[in-house]
Every structure is written in structure tokens, then in C-alpha cells.
Amino acid sequence: MSYSKVPSMGAAEAIKFAQTNTTKGLTKEEAAARAAKYGPNSLPEEPPKPLWELILAQFEDVMVRLLLAAAVVSFLLAIFEDDEEEKLTAFIEPLVILAILTANATVGVVQELNADESLRALQKLTAPHCVVIRDGEQHNIDAADLVPGDVVLVSCGDQVPADVRIVEVLSTTIRVDQSTLTGESESIVKHSDPVKVVEGETEFYLNCLYSSTCITYGKAKGIVMTTGLETEFGNIFKLTKATEEEKTPLQVKLDAFGESLTKVITAICVFVWIININHFTSKGTWLKGCIFFAKQGVALAVAALPEGLPAVVTTCLALGTRRMAKKHALVRKLPSVETLGCCTVICSDKTGTLTTNKMVVRKICTFGGNAMNTYTVKGTTFNLGSGSKWGGEPVSQKDMITLAGQGNACPLSNDPTLLDIAQVSALCNESSLSYNAETNEVERVNEAMEACLRVMVEKLGLDSKAKNDALLSEKDPNRRLLSCNNHWMTHCKKNGTLEFTRERKSMSVHVTAESKHQLLVKGAPDCLLDRCTHIKTSKGSVVPLTPQIKSTVLETYHLLATGAESLRCLGMAIKPTPHGWTALGASDPAKFAAIESGLTFVGFVGILDPPRPEVKAALAECRTAHVRVIVITGDNKDTAEGICREIGIFGNDEKTTGLSFTGQQFDSMTPSQQTEAVQTARLFSRAVPDHKKVITERLQECGFVVAMTGDGVNDALALKKAHIGIAMGSGTEVAKKSSDMVLEDDNFSTIVAAIEEGRTIYNNTKQFIRYLISSNIGEVVCIFLTGVLGMPEVLVPIQLLWVNLVTDGLPATALGFNPPEPDVMRKPPRKSNEPIVNRSTAFRYMAIGTYVGVATVAGYALWCMYAPTGPQVTWAELCGSTNHAWLNDDVMNAAGGKKVPMTVALSVLVVVEMCNALNALGDSSLFVVGPSSNPYLCGAIVLSLALHMVILYIEPVAKVFGVAALDWWSWKLILILSIPIIFLDEVLKTFVRRREYTKLKED
């Protein structure tokens, strides 16, 4: 049984289709049968992944597998180690690598355990209980027990338990807050009449209630159409579950880099082992020689592998998250920080993201006798002043309400029609305002549209300057907040209410003040004017509403409603009544329109969900940074385009053809047309959750790096699908749990700051990767030269591991503190497929790395050949011998043994890499930038050198690492070999800068 066509059916036909009865409901047996067929009305819970599966998942990364393989091979070779003294050292290396991998896996498992919280958050939103009619009686049952065809009753404050077709409205009207589903702030008036079924606009069916939405006014009876996963809410659940998270550009590049590194390392290791086959017998037996040179191959792998790279990348991103947290951006997933740096498109929800999600009165229009007076009202929130917080300098009526740029300290006395508008707004109102001491903000209670009228009444003030001055002096928010509204509610006695109906599009209250009876009406301006016979002017006189005057009013109304601002307008009228409430005969709703006739029109107000004050400047910065912003909203096209013009998405007179699309237009396109549309689009209106996901996918297919912002349940799909999902702090838990980053202050401009941070992080990431890889290339060159030249072992694996993890890791981490470049936000985003290593950087890697390797080997060789306390061997003895007997002669033993030249080589490697770290301060010359630009790097270099001294001069530690203390001659040799790398890189930087300048000039 498909309920997709039920909204288009009349109530009686829908009841018949559902095979139910609205008086008696389903029987117990029918409900049980349908429960067996359709299942429970709940979202399914899957068992969590077993711990072993989560642990294995952490070893799928290419770099992690490579390190694990190196650790296993090292462990096996340690078992075959003959020298008992060396055996302990041999086991340290694989144990250290395994410790690192275990720590990384632990962090990953903890993150995985929280990965599906978005689904659990969805489950928490479902209604626990509901009122259902079964066997002719009302029952309060668990919402999970509902079945299609059940007859349910909902009233104000209830959460809708399933997708329901309204068959009878049990009050004059019923309003529903659908913001959890659609993200739109304004509540929707529902009815029981059939509607046209339009594909792609399901949640806008006005005769249906949807699971997880909330009844804000009235009550109704309906039949359950769908339950559980078949509801609109369930569809979001299924799509969220099916959506695979995209890898960030940095993750993709690091994976590619790891795969390339694997191939290179494997080839070099095999090559070094093969070229030494003839030397296998020099180690005593062929097997011992095979194992020895296999160990050299492993040493080469350890040298080539940047063991500290994953930790350094994570640390750099974590530092970025700390800086962003200070700017109120909470990062949930570390790689998302860097992703913002290459973001090319931001897909932004309008309501609550670009706007405040707080309705305000922007315009008040009254009739001046010949033309309309249009007052401008300041403010963007429910706060009585112009700011978003309570307190600060009080704002007078003169500053808050202006006409043609001029203010008046007492607008009510200057224009009597404003007094009527204030009275109607205060009394035709069921909302309230409250002060939140924690946030120092004013919040609404009930309808946003009515709450903004309360705020307007307070901004209008009272009917004398003295009273308004007294209001300004009141600092206590609890006494000041509703003082003007309370004045009207105390002055007038409310006798009764004619509730809103969609036929007449108005509501009214009957009041008595000083023995005078009056009907106060508010509603759609065009509908009210049809029932008005007179109009009140701003001078206080009441004149007949002639066709000419009516045309003048309607012209202004249409200008505000459909023009650039696209305001939601609300008309107001009054009607003196000679008799009291009882004489009106207001018990029959059919008579409401007749009672509300012969009215005197007093004016209308224009309401909107205003843009955040900082958004326009933030969008301008996005344009400067070459980042396109696309607004995706459920609002109608005119309203959405009006907001977009105000914030600068569109120019005031810019045509929107090809730039603005509705969801229905987008659905009617072929996939290729959709792809073409997203490349130019700036606005999608009347969009539903599926649209946001498809738009994101189309943009990603075109190669755009997509950030999606949002706050509602409807945004969860796209937040998860996008390269980076950005949720608002005030949004739903579902949106937050599906996002990569949460804007704590809901400030769109924070995204711009985050983009700058992301670009800076990527630049710094490139610098420390360049530093680490060029250092590792140096180590590879060192091992390779040792094998090719037939020299003794220059460095052992544990020494290489120490350099990679500690003495290299600290400066690399400190490079994450490099300050941003001055023009970082004036450059276009880098391409997502731009490699970390391009030709120019690869050349620098190789040149610098080759020098590092040659200098390290030279340090070993020069000490052995020329050190006063050394063996002073010849080049032929150093490289030509097969057994290097001089390593164990008396001279060598007197100098400290073979550990001394190894220590010189290790020290050259450490010092030359400290100099290389200074080169990584930026692409500008070191003599321009200077070490002082990053004091953290200076501190890291000092600390790394201090740690190196510890392993050299503290004997127990020196024994573990196979090193010895050095004399002054050795340190002079180390400095002479290390410092030239600074000048070499200065030459390379100049070459690269000139090449980039030439390429930019050609482009």
C-alpha cells in the first residue's frame, strides 16, 4: 500500500484508502497485523562494530602499513643478531615503531567509536509517546507501536510521531514548526484539504504533518501514512547512513605520497641488497652476509620512511584547531582544518547561517494623506537595541525608528497611526519575550512572527517623551523587556479572540478600554484592504478608502513584498464596536469574516529574517579569496533573492538568469545540465534535503572542493557528503554530529578566518614535509653511498630512528607556527589535485637531500682519514677493503672505537638538518624572513641539539644509541660541513621564485 498520493486525496477518500475509521480507529487485531507487516515506528539500531574490526581499520593507511612492515622485518632480523651487545639495540627499533603505531591506532579507535553519533542523535529526536484512537477509545501509547492507518490526535506542544495526513483540524487553525526537518524558522499553517502532489516538494504539503516536527498552535486529527524508515525523517536517516565521507585533499595526497614512497623504497632496498651480493662472504658465511646486507636494506627503509610525518601532520593540524577554537570554530575532525585552505565553493544554508533566524520588523508603513510613510526599524535580533546582546548604550526611539532618515523622540505622538499599530501588535499576540542571563540575549516564546511584533512595540515606545526617557533609564532587562507591551495589556481588557483561518487570512481580538469597545485585526494586507471602508492618516484623521488610496497602499505593499527586500508583510486594522463581545456572535467561525468587515486600515509592517550584520563583509572577503558562495534554502525564490541582493550575492540590479534556480527547475534538468548549472549558480531556492546532496555531488564531480554549512536535520546529508561540513553552534545535534567543524558563534565570518587558517596550515604543511623528506632523502643517500662505495656502516637503524622521530620531529612541528603570508587571502585557492611535490620542489628535495647525504658520509670519511686521534686511513682502505680490519686496530680502539666516526656522521646529519629547518621558514629568503619570525622553531632547534648532547655525553644513553663523546676538532668538522646548506637553499629559492614569477606572468 503506497501512501504517496494520499495528500492529493480528499479527507474521506484518504480515510477509505487507509482502510480505517476516524471515530473508532483500528482494532487491536488490525494494528497487530499491520505492525507485523510494516514493522516498528522507529529507526533501526545496528550493533556496534567489534573492537577487533575497529583496530584493524586503523592499519589500512599506506604509511602505517609501510611502517608496520619495517617493524616486522626489523624484529625478525633482530632475532638473528649474533652480537649479544647489539641484540638489545636491535630490538629497540621495532618496539619504538610499534609503540608509535599503537598510539595512532588508539586515537583512531576512539574517534571511530563516536563516528555514528549523528545516527543516534536522529533516533533521539523521535517522539516517545502519542495519542491514538483504537477500538473507539483514546490511548496514550509508545510512538514505536504506531502503524500506517492509525488515527492520531496531536495538539500544541506535541512532537509529531510519524508522517500523518490531516483529516480534521480540531481548532480554527493549526501551525507546525518544521525547522528540525527543513531548517526554516517560520511555522507553517496546515489544513485538511487535498493538495497537488509535486515531486521534490514533499515537506511542503500543507495537509501533512511530518515525523519529528512540533505543533506550535492548535490541534488536529490525522491518519498515519508512513512510519519508521519510510517517513521523510527516516529517508534522511537512510541517506545519512548511506553517505560515504569524502577523504580530504591532504589525506588523498598523503596516501598517494605513501604509495609512491613504498615503490621507491622497495626498489632502492632491493637494489642495495643486489649490488652487495658479491660481498656476502666478507661477513664470514654467505648467510651471515645475506642477513647483514638485508639489515642494511632495512636501515635504508628506516632512513627513507618519515616515521614522524603522521605525528607532525596531526600536531600541526591540532595547533590549527587551537587557534581556530579561539575564534569560536570548534574542529571535530583534524584534516578538515587543512581542507578549508583549498575550498573553492561554500554551499550555505540561508536561515540561521547567513541570517539571524530571528524575525524582525524592518519597515512600518502608514498613510500620510497623499502618499505612504515608510518608517525604517533598526535591529537584527529580538534585542531592543541595535546589537545582538542586552546592555551597552541605550538606544532611543529617535535612533530606532526613522522616517526618510530622520528620527523622533516620541514617534507615537508624531504619527497617531503608529499608536494603533502598537496597540494591535501588543494585543493581537500570543507570544512573549524572555531574557537569557547566560547568553545575555533576548529570546522568543512561541511564534517568531508574533515575537518580533512585541519587539517592535518596545522600539516604538509610549505616547510621551517623558515616558520614553524613563524607559531609557531602566537597566533591568526583566522590568524593561515588555514594559510597553504591558502598558497596552494593562490599559485594555481583552474580551475574546477570533482565531486565524486560512480563508480570511487574518485574526483579531476584541478589547475594551475606558468603556469603549474595539476590534483589533491583523492579517494579509491585501485581504484586509478588501474588508476595509476607511483608512486612518498619519495626521489622525479617518478618511474613506477610495480606489486611488487603496491602489497607493497596494503599490507600496507589492514593492516591499516582491522587491529587493522581499519582506513578509502584515496589515493592521481597527473597528470600533458599539456593543461588547457577546453581541458580536463570534461563536461560529463562519461569521468571522463578516465580523471583520467595515474596518479602518491603519497600516502594515514588513518583516524579515535579517542577514547577520557581519555577513556582507565576510562574503566580500570570500570573493577576494576567489571562493564562490552558493546559497541553498527552502525559502521561495523572491524572498531568497531579496536576501541575496542585500548581502551581496547578487548586485542590486543584476539579472539572476543562470545564477538562481528553484529545486523544481533543478529536478527537471538532466545530469549534464545540472553539472552545467552548479558551475555558475549562486542560489538554489525551494530546495529539499536531496537537492543539497545532489548539488554537492555535482560540484565535486566538477573538481570543486566543497564546504557545506547548515544547522538543520535537512543539512546532515550534505554536511557528511561535502569535503568539509560546517554546522552552526545553535543548530540541531544531528547537524553538529555530521559535521567536521562547528561554528560556536554561528558567525559566517568565522568561516573566512578558518579559510585563512587552512591556507596557512597547508603552506606550513608543505614546508615541514619538504624539511622532513629532504632530510630523509639525505639519509637514503647516506646509506646508498655507503653500500655503493663499500664503506663501513655509517649509521645504524636506531640512530636514524632517533633523528626522524626526535631531532627532526621537533623542528618540523615548530614549522606549524610559521605566520601566514601577507597575501594568503588574495591568492586563488590551490587546486585540489595539486601535488604536494611538484617538479621544482622535487628538485629542491633532491638537491638538498643529496647534500645532506654527502655531508654525512663526508663527516665519517674525513674523520677516519684526517682526525688527529683517528686511524688516518687512505681512501682505498676506507672503501676498498672487504673486512675493514682497521676498525678494530689499536689506534681505533684508543680513539673510542668505531662509535666515534658514527657519532661524527650522526652529528653532521643532526646539525645540517637544523640548518635545513631554518630554510623551511618560508619560500622567501632566510635573510629577509629571519629566524625571529618563528621563535618556536628557534626553541625547537635548541631543544633538539640539547637532546642530541644528552645521547652523546650521558653514558648509559650513549651506549643504547651506539655513540660516543666528541672532541673540538670533530665539532669544527661538523660545523664546516653543515652550514653551507643554508647558502645552497638560498640559491635554489631564488631559482624557484624566478620560475614561479615567469609562469605567473605568462598566465
Side-chain angles (χ1 to χ4, degrees):
M1 183 184 292
S2 173
Y3 283 81
S4 61
K5 301 296 183 182
V6 169
S8 65
M9 302 176 183
E13 186 182 359
I15 294 167
K16 183 178 179 182
F17 179 84
Q19 300 177 17
T20 189
N21 182 298
T22 55
T23 304
K24 295 182 179 179
L26 298 175
T27 64
K28 183 178 180 181
E29 292 74 18
E30 288 173 331
R34 297 191 187 192
K37 180 179 180 180
Y38 296 106
N41 178 36
S42 59
L43 302 179
E45 289 190 43
E46 288 190 3
K49 287 183 181 180
L51 185 61
W52 64 267
E53 191 174 331
L54 290 176
I55 293 173
L56 286 180
Q58 308 311 311
F59 291 89
E60 293 178 356
D61 183 82
V62 176
M63 287 293 294
V64 170
R65 287 181 176 179
L66 200 55
L67 285 170
L68 183 62
V72 171
V73 173
S74 296
F75 188 82
L76 292 175
L77 291 175
I79 295 175
F80 292 100
E81 180 62 57
D82 292 332
D83 191 335
E84 290 300 324
E85 187 178 344
E86 298 287 340
K87 199 154 192 170
L88 176 62
T89 304
F91 277 111
I92 290 176
E93 177 195 320
L95 291 175
V96 170
I97 295 177
L98 288 173
I100 295 169
L101 295 180
T102 301
N104 282 341
T106 302
V107 174
V109 168
V110 171
Q111 290 176 338
E112 283 286 333
L113 290 174
N114 297 321
D116 291 329
E117 281 191 26
S118 59
L119 302 182
R120 290 193 286 273
L122 277 168
Q123 293 167 335
K124 290 178 183 177
L125 283 175
T126 54
H129 293 90
C130 61
V131 177
V132 64
I133 299 175
R134 287 183 182 171
D135 292 317
E137 296 181 355
Q138 292 186 19
H139 301 275
N140 193 329
I141 67 169
D142 193 318
D145 296 332
L146 277 182
V147 296
D150 260 328
V151 179
V152 294
L153 299 172
V154 292
S155 57
C156 183
D158 288 348
Q159 195 172 16
V160 180
D163 284 1
V164 175
R165 165 66 162 89
I166 300 173
V167 294
E168 185 180 358
V169 178
L170 302 177
S171 54
T172 55
T173 187
I174 182 169
R175 301 183 72 94
V176 183
D177 178 1
Q178 296 187 158
S179 61
T180 56
L181 190 62
T182 66
E184 302 308 321
S185 56
E186 187 178 3
S187 62
I188 309 297
V189 177
K190 299 284 186 173
H191 58 76
S192 59
D193 297 339
V195 298
K196 183 180 178 181
V197 173
V198 179
E199 187 177 353
E201 295 193 1
T202 307
E203 78 270 26
F204 295 113
Y205 291 158
L206 297 179
N207 60 0
C208 293
L209 306 174
Y210 293 90
S211 178
S212 84
T213 60
C214 187
I215 309 298
T216 61
Y217 185 87
K219 52 186 176 179
K221 180 187 289 186
I223 53 172
V224 175
M225 297 188 299
T226 53
T227 58
L229 286 174
E230 300 307 312
T231 63
E232 286 301 309
F233 202 76
N235 287 334
I236 294 178
F237 180 91
K238 287 187 287 188
L239 290 170
T240 303
K241 185 179 174 183
T243 302
E244 293 184 4
E245 293 184 19
E246 296 282 329
K247 281 193 173 183
T248 70
L250 182 62
Q251 288 172 322
V252 172
K253 289 170 191 171
L254 289 177
D255 283 349
F257 178 73
E259 290 173 3
S260 300
L261 195 61
T262 302
K263 296 173 184 176
V264 172
I265 289 172
T266 303
I268 293 177
C269 289
V270 172
F271 178 70
V272 168
W273 188 80
I274 290 174
I275 64 174
N276 282 288
I277 288 178
N278 292 333
H279 298 126
F280 281 6
T281 55
S282 66
K283 301 302 176 182
T285 66
W286 191 92
L287 179 61
K288 286 185 178 181
C290 178
I291 294 174
F292 174 81
F293 287 107
K295 284 172 62 181
Q296 276 205 328
V298 173
L300 186 63
V302 172
L305 279 174
E307 291 90 349
L309 181 58
V312 171
V313 170
T314 301
T315 303
C316 184
L317 295 176
L319 292 172
T321 65
R322 287 181 59 187
R323 290 195 292 267
M324 291 175 67
K326 294 177 181 178
K327 300 174 183 177
H328 306 289
L330 307 180
V331 177
R332 297 184 63 248
K333 299 173 185 176
L334 286 182
S336 62
V337 183
E338 177 276 333
T339 309
L340 274 170
C342 59
C343 173
T344 54
V345 175
I346 300 174
C347 293
S348 176
D349 186 38
K350 179 186 72 69
T351 304
T353 307
L354 297 172
T355 64
T356 63
N357 198 17
K358 295 176 181 179
M359 294 291 185
V360 298
V361 174
R362 175 63 62 86
K363 302 289 184 183
I364 305 174
C365 296
T366 64
F367 184 59
N370 296 311
M372 296 297 291
N373 294 328
T374 302
Y375 295 86
T376 299
V377 185
K378 292 184 179 179
T380 58
T381 67
F382 295 127
N383 185 37
L384 304 189
S386 57
S388 62
K389 302 291 184 181
W390 184 273
E393 284 296 318
V395 182
S396 69
Q397 279 66 40
K398 184 176 181 179
D399 296 323
M400 289 306 304
I401 312 290
T402 57
L403 176 63
Q406 300 297 315
N408 189 288
C410 185
L412 295 190
S413 61
N414 191 55
D415 185 345
T417 53
L418 292 178
L419 188 145
D420 294 312
I421 289 174
Q423 188 178 21
V424 173
S425 299
L427 297 171
C428 281
N429 204 316
E430 298 297 326
S431 72
S432 186
L433 303 172
S434 67
Y435 171 70
N436 187 325
E438 286 187 15
T439 62
N440 195 30
E441 293 180 353
V442 178
E443 298 175 347
R444 67 178 171 93
V445 180
N446 293 332
E447 288 290 327
M449 287 277 283
E450 294 196 336
C452 74
L453 294 179
R454 291 257 185 238
V455 175
M456 181 197 68
V457 171
E458 297 301 325
K459 291 178 178 178
L460 284 170
L462 298 174
D463 55 0
S464 75
K465 184 178 182 303
K467 292 178 181 178
N468 287 339
D469 290 342
L471 291 175
L472 290 176
S473 63
E474 180 57 70
K475 304 296 184 183
D476 187 344
N478 295 308
R479 286 202 297 267
R480 169 65 186 94
L481 193 54
L482 289 169
S483 54
C484 296
N485 282 274
N486 290 335
H487 165 80
W488 292 112
M489 288 186 283
T490 304
H491 180 70
C492 302
K493 178 188 176 184
K494 190 185 293 189
N495 303 314
T497 302
L498 304 184
E499 294 176 329
F500 178 91
T501 60
R502 63 189 184 90
E503 291 80 14
R504 74 188 206 283
K505 295 183 179 178
S506 63
M507 65 87 64
S508 56
V509 294
H510 188 266
V511 300
T512 301
E514 298 176 355
S515 301
K516 293 180 180 179
H517 306 294
Q518 197 173 29
L519 192 67
L520 309 179
V521 190
K522 70 175 183 184
D526 51 347
C527 295
L528 280 190
L529 283 168
D530 289 339
R531 284 179 269 143
C532 288
T533 57
H534 293 77
I535 187 168
K536 191 171 185 177
T537 72
S538 58
K539 302 298 182 182
S541 60
V542 176
V543 299
L545 182 64
T546 65
Q548 185 179 358
I549 294 175
K550 184 177 180 180
S551 177
T552 300
V553 176
L554 287 173
E555 184 180 351
T556 303
Y557 160 58
H558 289 302
L559 181 64
L560 293 180
T562 61
E565 292 183 282
S566 294
L567 303 180
R568 294 163 180 164
C569 295
L570 193 62
M572 300 186 187
I574 59 175
K575 177 183 179 180
T577 59
H579 305 291
W581 167 253
T582 307
L584 289 179
S587 58
D588 184 4
K591 296 180 180 179
F592 286 0
I595 296 171
E596 292 176 353
S597 60
L599 303 173
T600 297
F601 193 79
V602 295
F604 65 91
V605 299
I607 300 170
L608 85 163
D609 178 9
R612 294 180 177 277
E614 67 282 348
V615 159
K616 192 168 185 176
L619 289 170
E621 284 192 71
C622 286
R623 286 191 294 274
T624 303
H626 303 272
V627 177
R628 179 160 55 109
V629 177
I630 300 176
V631 179
I632 306 176
T633 178
D635 269 357
N636 67 66
K637 188 174 183 178
D638 288 339
T639 300
E641 286 186 357
I643 290 291
C644 285
R645 290 188 192 279
E646 187 170 350
I647 62 180
I649 295 288
F650 300 128
N652 289 333
D653 301 317
E654 186 177 6
K655 293 183 179 180
T656 60
T657 305
L659 305 175
S660 174
F661 302 91
T662 64
Q664 194 172 355
Q665 288 173 327
F666 192 67
D667 282 337
S668 66
M669 297 178 184
T670 63
S672 61
Q673 289 173 329
Q674 290 178 342
T675 301
E676 186 178 347
V678 299
Q679 294 185 59
T680 58
R682 297 184 213 163
L683 170 66
F684 288 95
S685 52
R686 285 297 185 192
V688 297
D690 283 352
H691 289 139
K692 297 186 176 184
K693 182 171 178 285
V694 173
I695 290 167
T696 302
E697 289 172 343
R698 294 287 180 265
L699 286 166
Q700 289 173 335
E701 288 168 5
C702 294
F704 293 104
V705 177
V706 183
M708 162 60 85
T709 71
D711 57 359
V713 173
N714 65 319
D715 297 321
L717 303 175
L719 287 174
K720 201 169 182 183
K721 179 64 180 173
H723 291 108
I724 174 168
I726 307 171
M728 301 297 111
S730 61
T732 61
E733 283 301 309
V734 178
K736 293 177 189 176
K737 300 301 182 183
S738 298
S739 68
D740 303 291
M741 189 169 78
V742 179
L743 300 186
E744 194 177 27
D745 58 355
D746 290 7
N747 193 332
F748 186 85
S749 63
T750 305
I751 299 174
V752 180
I755 289 175
E756 180 180 8
E757 186 66 46
R759 292 185 178 187
T760 301
I761 285 174
Y762 182 76
N763 290 341
N764 292 346
T765 301
K766 283 206 321 185
Q767 292 297 341
F768 67 64
I769 287 177
R770 185 198 69 76
Y771 166 64
L772 284 177
I773 299 305
S774 62
S775 299
N776 281 61
I777 289 174
E779 294 166 16
V780 170
V781 170
C782 170
I783 302 298
F784 184 75
L785 282 177
T786 302
V788 170
L789 296 175
M791 289 177 61
E793 199 172 19
V794 173
L795 295 171
V796 295
I798 192 170
Q799 293 169 348
L800 293 171
L801 195 62
W802 168 260
V803 171
N804 288 349
L805 289 178
V806 182
T807 56
D808 277 0
L810 292 173
T813 302
L815 288 172
F817 289 95
N818 282 352
E821 297 176 13
D823 60 346
V824 70
M825 287 300 284
R826 293 195 295 272
K827 294 179 179 178
R830 71 180 188 279
K831 295 179 180 178
S832 59
N833 59 355
E834 175 187 302
I836 291 179
V837 183
N838 55 31
R839 289 183 180 179
S840 60
T841 53
F843 177 75
R844 283 180 69 189
Y845 286 179
M846 293 305 300
I848 296 297
T850 300
Y851 181 84
V852 170
V854 170
T856 303
V857 173
Y860 186 99
L862 291 173
W863 188 92
C864 291
M865 295 170 68
Y866 301 108
T869 57
Q872 298 186 355
V873 296
T874 64
W875 179 257
E877 290 176 314
L878 181 69
C879 302
S881 174
T882 56
N883 56 12
H884 303 109
W886 51 270
L887 283 174
N888 298 308
D889 63 16
D890 294 338
V891 175
M892 195 67 176
N893 290 331
K898 63 182 180 180
K899 292 181 180 180
V900 178
M902 273 189 173
T903 306
V904 171
L906 177 63
S907 299
V908 169
L909 181 61
V910 169
V911 176
V912 79
E913 290 186 5
M914 295 304 102
C915 295
N916 192 25
L918 293 174
N919 291 331
L921 278 169
D923 290 330
S924 300
S925 170
L926 175 61
F927 302 103
V928 173
V929 178
S932 61
S933 64
N934 188 345
Y936 295 99
L937 178 61
C938 298
I941 290 173
V942 171
L943 181 58
S944 295
L945 291 174
L947 290 172
H948 183 65
M949 296 303 173
V950 167
I951 70 166
L952 261 61
Y953 294 100
I954 296 181
E955 190 172 341
V957 182
K959 186 175 181 181
V960 172
F961 286 94
V963 294
L966 299 178
D967 57 20
W968 175 234
W969 190 94
S970 300
W971 279 112
K972 284 192 292 184
L973 174 63
I974 291 165
L975 293 174
I976 290 170
L977 291 171
S978 301
I979 292 175
I981 196 172
I982 294 176
F983 301 99
L984 172 62
D985 201 47
E986 283 297 313
V987 174
L988 295 173
K989 284 180 180 180
T990 303
F991 171 76
V992 171
R993 284 197 301 270
R994 286 181 178 176
R995 186 173 180 274
E996 289 180 350
Y997 176 77
T998 304
K999 185 178 179 182
L1000 185 64
K1001 198 172 180 181
E1002 290 174 353
D1003 295 340

